[in-house]
Amino acid sequence: MNTIMTTDRPLFVCDSDAEKRLQLMKEALAADAVVPYLGPGLLRLSSARPTVPHEPEAVAAALNTRAPAPSRIRTNMWSVAQFIEQRRHRRTLQTWMADIFAPPVSPTILHAWLATLPLSLIIDSWYDATMRAALAETGRTDVVEIQGVTRATGYADIWTKAYDLSGREIGTGSAAKTVLYTPHGSVRPAANFLVSDSDYVEVLTEIDIQTPIPEAVKERRTNRGFFFLGCRFNDQMLRTYARQIMKRSNGPRFAVLDAAALTNNERRFLAASAITLIDMPTGEAAARLIG
């Protein structure tokens, strides 16, 4: 049996069915029919030990080397960041995050391939700026990146900032061919980070009514599905953002994940969000997509 489904669990496809779904996703990406939603797990496609953290727990560990947090929160990135912000000031937290993600990360072959496609919208849910670098390497001038920004540094009336690939701050990007949306911010070009609990207080209050989601993202998701690559949903923050970003979208939803590694919360989230799980290692899926 290649397809598995129960009433309280997501649809799983594996073996030959997984290969067929990946081929469909490859065709859908080329036709701009689905939105790639990229996570930090993609960093391991190029190296077993990426030059920057590839999961929230690794960010927490890096921050702990600079200011040890209480043991009860030590593995939670958002709580450790809040601990530092309260005791060392927001500027210190931002400086340390920028330092942690300062090493440049070369785009993987998957990032490079995605950069050549006629995609209207790409979601990058991590801070490393790898997808941005891949797009810049193509020499394209029709791309705008919209980044989430914290209100802790005085941006009281805005949720996002937009940049072209040279790093220049520009308008909202509604006319760009491709919008790269980094909802949690990015190390480049301006070291914008949503990372502490306080960064998300107002965002989570408003996100259910979609206020923090850029209009360009709302417009471009409407008639498209979503394809999650390198993502995990093992924290409520990650699930909330994914749920709200794909809200009111039309089209299929797929995620490449190792079914055996899923938590119960992840299984429930995938089922509730109608996301079909392609049970395959990310590296194998990437190779099939670009092959």
Side-chain angles (χ1 to χ4, degrees):
M1 178 69 69
N2 293 329
T3 303
I4 306 169
M5 185 177 184
T6 64
T7 56
D8 60 344
R9 298 194 176 202
L11 176 69
F12 292 72
V13 292
C14 52
D15 302 329
S16 61
D17 279 352
E19 295 172 11
K20 292 176 183 176
R21 299 300 174 94
L22 273 178
Q23 181 60 35
L24 289 174
M25 286 297 97
K26 180 176 182 177
E27 294 169 3
L29 286 166
D32 193 23
V34 294
V35 177
Y37 192 118
L38 312 179
L42 293 182
L43 294 178
R44 300 195 67 176
L45 293 179
S46 294
S47 172
R49 296 178 63 86
T51 56
V52 298
H54 64 281
E55 57 186 0
E57 293 82 2
V59 176
L63 289 173
N64 270 297
T65 64
R66 292 160 170 81
S71 58
R72 69 182 184 278
I73 64 168
R74 195 161 293 164
T75 61
N76 185 293
M77 177 183 74
W78 300 274
S79 296
V80 173
Q82 184 66 33
F83 174 81
I84 293 170
E85 183 173 313
Q86 289 178 332
R87 287 159 178 77
R88 298 293 189 95
H89 199 273
R90 174 71 197 192
R91 290 176 185 168
T92 299
L93 173 61
Q94 183 161 338
T95 298
W96 287 352
M97 285 292 293
D99 185 46
I100 289 168
F101 282 93
V105 182
S106 297
T108 69
I109 53 175
L110 180 63
H111 289 99
W113 176 68
L114 288 172
T116 67
L117 299 181
L119 296 166
S120 295
L121 177 63
I122 303 171
I123 311 295
D124 189 349
S125 66
W126 201 231
Y127 307 110
D128 55 285
T130 307
M131 190 64 236
R132 175 188 179 85
L135 289 162
E137 286 182 3
T138 67
R140 292 177 57 182
T141 59
D142 57 353
V143 179
V144 63
E145 179 178 7
I146 305 178
Q147 297 184 358
V149 297
T150 179
R151 295 190 166 193
T153 53
Y155 302 140
D157 299 322
I158 64 171
W159 301 99
T160 59
K161 285 192 169 188
Y163 304 90
D164 64 17
L165 292 180
S166 72
R168 180 171 58 96
E169 188 174 348
I170 57 176
T172 60
S174 58
K177 170 61 181 175
T178 298
V179 169
L180 172 62
Y181 179 39
T182 46
H184 304 281
S186 176
V187 66
R188 295 178 181 84
N192 293 315
F193 298 104
L194 274 74
V195 63
S196 69
D197 286 336
S198 61
D199 286 337
Y200 291 100
V201 170
E202 289 186 77
V203 178
L204 294 179
T205 300
E206 297 282 339
I207 201 167
D208 191 53
I209 58 174
Q210 299 283 285
T211 306
I213 309 295
E215 289 301 320
V217 174
K218 296 177 188 176
E219 294 166 1
R220 293 165 188 243
R221 71 185 176 187
T222 302
N223 296 315
R224 295 179 173 88
F226 276 80
F227 186 28
F228 296 88
L229 290 158
C231 300
R232 290 296 301 270
F233 307 105
N234 51 353
D235 186 275
Q236 181 63 30
M237 189 76 74
L238 303 176
R239 294 191 293 272
T240 296
Y241 260 76
R243 182 184 301 112
Q244 295 299 333
I245 289 172
M246 64 181 168
K247 194 173 186 177
R248 303 192 182 102
S249 63
N250 295 318
R253 297 170 180 175
F254 287 87
V256 173
L257 282 166
D258 178 2
L262 294 179
T263 65
N264 288 334
N265 281 334
E266 286 180 299
R267 292 174 186 272
R268 285 191 287 268
F269 167 76
L270 292 170
S273 302
I275 298 173
T276 298
L277 186 150
I278 298 174
D279 186 9
M280 182 182 291
T282 303
E284 181 181 342
R288 290 183 178 277
L289 285 168
I290 65 176

